[in-house]
Amino acid sequence: MDDEARRSMVNIGEATDRLLASAAALTDAGAGEPSLLPGWTRGHVLTHVARNGDGLGNLLRWARTGVETPMYASREARRADIEAGAGRSAADLAADVRAAAIAFAAEAASLPDEAWAAQVRMLVGPPMPARRVLDWRLREVEIHHTDLGTGYLPAAWPAEFVAENLPEVAGSFAGRDDAPSCVLRPDGSDSSWRIGPDQPGAPPVSVQGSAVGLLAWLIGRDDGSGLRVAGGDAVPPVLPPWR
């Protein structure tokens, strides 16, 4: 495993340990309470994180063997697996997340260096190099830890995670006709990102704030009330779903 992949796996491991600490503090009743994701309990969130580890592990196996291995058998199978596991005890949920994380780490450790460039494909989206699987796993763990609703807020996301994800997430909104035309300006940085469609002759709304506040707003984990807006309403415009 090269240095970049090794660093990514360290970050994933640390994020997973934080999630597991939150999961270990849940009672069975708490595991059945609503998460911050509409329609999902905390048990749904934890089961999803575990099955996502399995699915992304399948993509690493694809990269290692060259045999196409889908992330999930189908959308329906993914949903069914999450529903089937959501009602388990808190201890069983945490054990599932831990076991999936261990299996994912073992699969990553088994990849020869050249396999990280192999093209794989998630359930949706274009092919990508296997190295990107590590980025997606870290996102899943960090973001869904917040979704668990146990007090792990976006402000707790590591600065490196925010710095690496804000440009990419902002870029995914660029040119989208369903997104508002805005320029995002993080505090303390000369960087900015344009989102939404180009509207010649109409200056875009400027949305400013902390990098983590902007990222959390973009991915729907914050209402943006802590951001500052110029050239438009006093509050940030409503965004479409990130993905």
Side-chain angles (χ1 to χ4, degrees):
M1 186 182 296
D2 61 29
D3 289 343
E4 183 182 351
R6 188 172 294 109
R7 188 186 80 246
S8 294
M9 287 304 301
V10 168
N11 291 340
I12 291 169
E14 291 174 348
T16 301
D17 287 344
R18 292 190 291 270
L19 172 63
L20 286 170
S22 293
L26 290 174
T27 63
D28 289 349
E33 290 175 353
S35 72
L36 300 184
L37 291 177
W40 271 16
T41 65
R42 290 173 175 146
H44 284 91
V45 173
L46 291 171
T47 302
H48 168 67
V49 172
R51 298 292 73 77
N52 172 265
D54 295 342
L56 291 176
N58 286 341
L59 299 188
L60 294 182
R61 192 171 304 111
W62 177 355
R64 176 172 56 83
T65 65
V67 177
E68 182 170 350
T69 309
M71 186 174 178
Y72 303 108
S74 65
R75 289 177 182 273
E76 292 72 22
R78 172 182 173 273
R79 283 194 291 268
D81 284 345
I82 293 171
E83 287 296 335
R88 292 172 294 171
S89 70
D92 284 348
L93 289 163
D96 190 17
V97 172
R98 184 179 296 106
I102 291 170
F104 179 84
E107 194 61 60
S110 73
L111 258 70
D113 287 349
E114 62 274 13
W116 291 107
Q119 295 288 300
V120 297
R121 189 171 53 256
M122 296 177 65
L123 193 58
V124 295
M128 64 182 185
R131 186 177 300 279
R132 294 282 290 131
V133 170
L134 303 185
D135 299 334
W136 278 104
R137 181 57 180 171
L138 183 57
R139 283 180 180 175
E140 290 287 325
V141 175
E142 286 287 5
I143 294 171
H144 287 311
H145 190 177
T146 298
D147 294 335
L148 204 59
T150 55
Y152 187 76
L153 303 176
W157 293 339
E160 181 182 0
F161 174 77
V162 174
E164 290 182 352
N165 281 275
L166 179 55
E168 183 174 343
V169 172
S172 72
F173 282 92
R176 282 181 57 171
D177 289 335
D178 61 345
S181 183
C182 300
V183 173
L184 311 183
R185 305 183 189 279
D187 294 338
S189 173
D190 293 330
S191 299
S192 64
W193 297 277
R194 178 77 177 261
I195 70 171
D198 257 336
Q199 296 178 336
V205 171
S206 176
V207 180
Q208 299 173 264
S210 67
V212 67
L214 289 168
L215 178 60
W217 173 63
L218 284 171
I219 64 176
R221 268 64 183 187
D222 188 88
D223 63 5
S225 58
L227 302 176
R228 305 183 304 281
V229 181
D233 294 331
V235 296
V238 176
L239 291 169
W242 169 35
R243 57 179 184 190

